[in-house]
Amino acid sequence: MIIDILVPCFNEEEVLDITAATLLAKLDRLIEDGRIDRASFILFVDDGSRDRTWHLIKEFARRCAPGRVHGTRLSGNKGHQNAVLAGLHASQADAVISIDADLQDDTNAIDQMISAHQAGADIVFGVHSSRASDTWFKRTTAHIYYRLAKLCGLRIVINHADFRLLSRRAIDALKEYPEVNLFLRGLVTELGFRTAIVEYRRAKRAAGQSKYPLMRMWGLAWDGLTSYSTVPIRWITLLGLLIALGTFACSAWVLWVAEIERIAVPGWASTVLPIYFLGGVQLIATGILGEYLAKIYMEAKRRPRYIIDESF
């Protein structure tokens, strides 16, 4: 079968030489072992990089055997998820393996992914068996997020990012989802095809710096929660109920202080309690409802998720 190794890139000139050499060696080894067809290739998707990333991709294609390296350049920075989607749409391979350019994902797991696919799995998830290379803060926040996602009803694979194999059938099914608010980690699990998991140890970044700082990670996590679940809206009702109960309890305490102990300052309770309790609930509720309204607005406009500037 023909395999496409899909690599989304954004300002990755520092690591791209290592990435290309590693993936080309892996591709050649798989071809020599008879695991995949000689027409298999690597597809780099440049997500509007501002450095020499696109120049390096074209240089790799020029130096390699014809058809071994392909490239697609988006007209601007559309985000990691849209870059992966653009690569999936552009590929005509029998199966596509997406992997980040930083080589934190173990390329040796590709062999196991192919084996799992040949055994019948349409989707093979690469899952971290250890996050030792991550900081304490990143490990902790990731743990909290996955637990929160489960509470919201998201069907996502814990400790899985975007290192996965998708069969041609899965890719064709994914094209039927036209939504603009894209969260592939959740969307892929919705396809319902047979899945498999391959575990690996996540390594440190080969070179350069992460393109996912704290705010972008938070944005991706929040998009995942609000794109695939209405549970946060239901939490508003629960929060309102809890705060109402808290208000009743606090009111009972105020009556006790005022009527039994007679030490209350006149007027403070009727001012402070409504401001702190009702004001907080209203702000939280407005923010969550506004997030869902913004997503409806983006979906209604039906803007293209990406525009291809150049490809070969």
Side-chain angles (χ1 to χ4, degrees):
M1 62 179 176
I2 299 176
I3 290 291
D4 168 13
I5 300 180
L6 168 61
V7 188
C9 308
F10 177 65
N11 294 340
E12 298 288 4
E13 64 175 356
E14 295 178 52
V15 74
L16 213 54
D17 282 326
I18 304 172
T19 302
T22 302
L23 294 178
L24 284 168
K26 169 58 67 176
L27 204 63
D28 290 339
R29 194 173 304 113
L30 290 169
I31 293 173
E32 290 172 3
D33 293 343
R35 304 281 313 274
I36 59 176
D37 193 274
R38 289 189 174 275
S40 298
F41 59 94
I42 300 173
L43 172 59
F44 291 97
V45 179
D46 182 6
D47 186 22
S49 297
R50 295 183 292 270
D51 59 5
R52 298 175 62 252
T53 295
W54 182 241
H55 171 77
L56 291 174
I57 293 171
K58 292 195 290 187
E59 191 65 22
F60 298 148
R62 186 184 64 81
R63 294 201 307 258
C64 294
R68 186 57 55 86
V69 173
H70 293 265
T72 295
R73 185 181 191 185
L74 304 187
S75 60
N77 181 225
K78 303 300 182 181
H80 180 273
Q81 299 290 280
N82 284 317
V84 174
L85 186 70
L88 292 173
H89 286 177
S91 178
Q92 297 299 319
D94 297 318
V96 176
I97 299 173
S98 57
I99 184 171
D100 288 341
D102 55 19
L103 291 183
Q104 286 189 276
D105 300 320
D106 186 4
T107 57
N108 291 321
I110 292 176
D111 302 66
Q112 301 174 57
M113 287 183 167
I114 294 174
S115 296
H117 172 54
Q118 291 173 335
D122 284 293
I123 304 169
V124 185
F125 297 104
V127 175
H128 314 157
S129 61
S130 171
R131 302 186 70 107
S133 61
D134 293 338
T135 62
W136 174 88
F137 177 78
K138 189 171 183 178
R139 289 196 302 271
T140 303
T141 53
H143 177 78
I144 293 173
Y145 171 71
Y146 285 122
R147 296 296 176 267
L148 185 60
K150 290 293 185 182
L151 288 175
C152 288
L154 267 72
R155 294 171 53 193
I156 60 174
V157 179
I158 295 178
N159 288 331
H160 164 70
D162 289 283
F163 185 31
R164 70 176 74 89
L165 180 148
L166 294 177
S167 69
R168 169 50 47 192
R169 185 166 71 139
I171 295 170
D172 290 340
L174 193 61
K175 292 179 181 179
E176 300 299 319
Y177 290 77
E179 55 211 62
V180 174
N181 298 288
L182 193 65
F183 185 65
L184 287 174
R185 300 178 193 182
L187 199 57
V188 167
T189 60
E190 293 292 328
L191 297 179
F193 295 131
R194 181 179 173 184
T195 65
I197 289 178
V198 171
E199 293 189 344
Y200 67 96
R201 292 182 63 87
R202 189 169 171 84
K204 292 185 178 180
R205 186 179 175 89
Q209 295 183 354
S210 172
K211 303 307 182 296
Y212 257 93
L214 178 61
M215 291 308 297
R216 292 192 69 177
M217 289 177 60
W218 161 252
L220 179 64
W222 181 245
D223 281 342
L225 291 177
T226 54
S227 294
Y228 292 91
S229 175
T230 58
V231 171
I233 292 182
R234 295 173 184 172
W235 282 354
I236 295 175
T237 304
L238 178 60
L239 182 63
L241 177 62
L242 292 177
I243 291 182
L245 293 175
T247 303
F248 291 142
C250 197
S251 299
W253 174 77
V254 168
L255 289 174
W256 174 269
V257 170
E259 299 299 329
I260 305 301
E261 298 187 3
R262 298 187 180 278
I263 58 174
V265 177
W268 74 269
S270 60
T271 302
V272 173
L273 290 179
I275 291 176
Y276 277 92
F277 286 98
L278 298 180
V281 172
Q282 289 173 351
L283 288 175
I284 293 173
T286 302
I288 294 178
L289 290 173
E291 179 69 24
Y292 279 93
L293 182 62
K295 281 182 162 47
I296 295 173
Y297 173 66
M298 294 302 296
E299 293 291 343
K301 290 194 291 185
R302 308 308 301 163
R303 289 181 176 177
R305 290 170 288 190
Y306 60 85
I307 298 174
I308 296 178
D309 179 46
E310 185 179 350
S311 63
F312 59 85

